[in-house]
Amino acid sequence: MNSSANQHTKEQEFIAQHRKDDVRKLALTLAGRNDIDREFILTQIAGLQAVEKKIPQWKDIKLLFPPKLSMEQCSSELTAQYKASLCSGDSLTDLTGGFGVDFAFMSTGFNQSTYIEQQEVLCNIAGHNFNELQIKNFSVINSNAGEYLQIMEHQSCIYLDPARRNEHGGKTVLLEDCQPDITLIYNQLLSKCDRLMVKLSPMLDISMALSGMPKTREIHIVSVDNECKELLFISDNEESTRIRIICINLSTNKIAQHFAYIRNDESNTICSYTDSISKYLYEPNSSIMKAGAFKLIASHFDIDKLHQQSHLYTSGKLIESFPGRVFEVLTIHTLSKNDIKSLKTLSPTANIAIRNYPGSVDMLRKKLNIKEGGNDYLFATTLNDERKVIIRCKKLN
């Protein structure tokens, strides 16, 4: 065994022994050591720890990992599996490969797949990893997305996850600020595929994005454990004004919550508002909140909205399939001295949320003198008759 192989074995053994260690403390421990590649070791241990959380089915595979930023930006196992469920066919090209999580999962639905990435180091890592993951019929090409687009053959599906950071490393949310700029190559992309899928920031304004991608047929708003993670815009070459919105809330230990509708239906829907609170309180999940399907969700489940600006709902019946959090109402209070005293007695600790109510959570917590935590939930909100109330409840799901 030569010295280079010995060195590699030594580093791999060190990584295996210290894969659970605190990377920051380990960096201090390794400071000044010249007998091992300190940067490589720290990057691989940080990557192992990240993949164990984000992509658990990869944790025992001998992968290579890129620097921290690429790991932070890569998809999770849940969101990559979801994207894989949306497309299949003969050929896939991922024009912005990155660490390759989406490509690895999506490629299983295609006969052949091509990974494009402008950073050579990521291409080398991807090639190694795809072999370790036993992906079949794949190609890794070190190229700029725009340049490769000029020469590529027609594909069943093109996928892009454009970079959303500016030259200073700050995050961007405008479509035209992404790299590549989708608005400049949108028509060319569609001319090269049957189906185009673009992943975008959950902070993006959907209406503005649609102006840059006018042939969008579906928008998937993807959350994980009630945190909105990404927007998926799917386009094809068929003209249609009926854009389907799919709100999905994925979970590691619960059945995914799903709510779909046609985008224009929200403005045409009438829902009922209420001046009183019934037995159950409903809060839509983050995907529905991002979509703005506030009247549709009330109409679909036949529940009453508390106020036009209060995105909470109530009903006398329990709807276990509601796509969001469900609470059983215990008591209703105002901010009178007696009610404040009563709340403090009933709930010395509670989880407080404000929905269309003046002030902040910290201000209200201080006024109520209630500590954070416990099993009770307090929603400070406004009813349809403009009354300000605090709804004390317990979470059912």
Side-chain angles (χ1 to χ4, degrees):
M1 185 179 287
N2 61 38
S3 59
S4 177
N6 278 324
Q7 179 72 7
H8 179 74
T9 301
K10 181 180 179 180
E11 290 170 349
Q12 290 300 326
E13 288 175 351
F14 187 94
I15 290 167
Q17 291 171 2
H18 297 274
R19 64 180 293 168
K20 302 288 186 182
D21 291 6
D22 185 302
V23 176
R24 287 173 296 183
K25 291 180 180 178
L26 193 59
L28 295 174
T29 303
L30 294 177
R33 285 190 60 173
N34 299 317
D35 59 320
I36 53 177
D37 188 335
R38 176 176 173 271
E39 184 176 345
F40 173 76
I41 285 173
L42 293 173
T43 296
Q44 297 314 298
I45 291 175
L48 280 167
Q49 294 174 2
V51 87
E52 192 160 351
K53 293 178 181 178
K54 295 184 79 169
I55 318 151
Q57 65 175 269
W58 288 7
K59 64 184 178 64
D60 296 320
I61 299 173
K62 294 181 180 179
L63 303 176
L64 292 175
F65 301 102
K68 182 180 178 181
L69 180 60
S70 293
M71 290 302 299
E72 287 177 347
Q73 293 176 336
C74 76
S75 292
S76 67
E77 182 176 307
L78 281 175
T79 58
Q81 286 175 331
Y82 182 72
K83 284 189 277 289
S85 73
L86 302 178
C87 57
S88 61
D90 180 59
S91 54
L92 165 72
T93 292
D94 181 344
L95 284 172
T96 51
F99 181 47
V101 179
D102 288 328
F103 177 86
F105 281 88
M106 292 173 68
S107 65
T108 59
F110 294 86
N111 296 325
Q112 55 185 357
S113 304
T114 305
Y115 164 104
I116 308 299
E117 171 55 51
Q118 63 182 352
Q119 295 185 53
E120 185 177 3
V121 64
L122 290 178
C123 288
N124 295 334
I125 289 171
H128 168 87
N129 290 346
F130 297 157
N131 282 317
E132 291 293 326
L133 292 164
Q134 299 181 1
I135 295 174
K136 298 178 181 179
N137 300 324
F138 73 88
S139 299
V140 171
I141 298 175
N142 181 202
S143 176
N144 174 278
E147 293 174 358
Y148 186 78
L149 184 60
Q150 306 296 327
I151 62 171
M152 70 182 291
E153 296 180 354
H154 194 88
Q155 301 289 293
S156 302
C157 179
I158 294 177
Y159 174 71
L160 288 94
D161 177 7
R164 295 183 289 275
R165 290 181 183 271
N166 59 30
E167 65 273 17
H168 306 296
K171 293 184 179 180
T172 61
V173 295
L174 296 177
L175 195 61
E176 56 267 32
D177 289 338
C178 295
Q179 292 295 327
D181 182 348
I182 304 297
T183 62
L184 298 179
I185 59 174
Y186 182 68
N187 289 331
Q188 189 177 10
L189 286 165
L190 284 176
S191 73
K192 292 292 184 87
C193 67
D194 299 325
R195 189 172 178 85
L196 170 67
M197 183 188 297
V198 181
K199 171 184 169 182
L200 296 169
S201 164
M203 301 299 292
L204 191 81
D205 182 277
I206 290 175
S207 296
M208 290 178 66
L210 283 173
S211 67
M213 295 186 288
K215 291 186 178 180
T216 298
R217 297 294 300 276
E218 296 178 2
I219 302 171
H220 296 252
I221 304 175
V222 184
S223 294
V224 176
D225 294 326
N226 206 29
E227 181 182 352
C228 197
K229 293 292 188 179
E230 59 193 41
L231 306 179
L232 302 174
F233 283 68
I234 297 177
S235 304
D236 59 32
N237 286 291
E238 295 182 18
E239 295 290 344
S240 177
T241 58
R242 291 172 61 82
I243 301 171
R244 192 163 178 255
I245 308 289
I246 299 94
C247 302
I248 187 83
N249 182 32
L250 306 169
S251 178
T252 52
N253 51 20
K254 294 180 182 178
I255 297 173
Q257 296 176 338
H258 180 276
F259 185 74
Y261 65 98
I262 302 301
R263 186 168 184 260
N264 292 339
D265 288 353
E266 170 66 16
S267 59
N268 299 324
T269 297
I270 297 173
C271 73
S272 59
Y273 297 91
T274 184
D275 299 338
S276 60
I277 307 297
S278 299
K279 186 175 182 179
Y280 299 103
L281 188 74
Y282 298 91
E283 181 188 43
N285 65 43
S286 57
S287 288
I288 293 170
M289 296 290 279
K290 172 63 181 179
F294 304 127
K295 293 185 291 184
L296 273 169
I297 202 76
S299 175
H300 181 83
F301 288 98
D302 191 24
I303 53 182
D304 297 325
K305 201 171 189 296
L306 301 195
H307 184 281
Q308 186 175 358
Q309 302 302 324
S310 300
H311 305 315
L312 294 169
Y313 306 78
T314 190
S315 172
K317 59 187 177 184
L318 176 61
I319 305 169
E320 294 181 350
S321 62
F322 182 81
R325 298 197 296 177
V326 182
F327 302 85
E328 181 180 352
V329 176
L330 301 174
T331 52
I332 300 168
H333 304 263
T334 65
L335 277 182
S336 68
K337 289 184 179 180
N338 287 338
D339 271 7
I340 290 175
K341 184 177 180 181
S342 175
L343 265 175
K344 171 67 176 174
T345 302
L346 291 168
S347 301
T349 60
N351 305 281
I352 298 177
I354 283 180
R355 302 288 185 270
N356 187 27
Y357 191 93
S360 66
V361 169
D362 288 341
M363 290 170 58
L364 183 59
R365 189 179 295 282
K366 185 176 181 180
K367 187 176 185 68
L368 297 175
N369 192 23
I370 290 176
K371 295 180 180 179
E372 185 176 358
N375 296 319
D376 285 0
Y377 286 76
L378 304 181
F379 283 93
T381 190
T382 303
L383 301 182
N384 191 51
D385 60 5
E386 301 299 334
R387 281 185 298 136
K388 306 291 189 277
V389 297
I390 300 174
I391 305 167
R392 175 175 162 263
C393 49
K394 66 177 181 180
K395 191 167 174 280
L396 297 181
N397 74 345

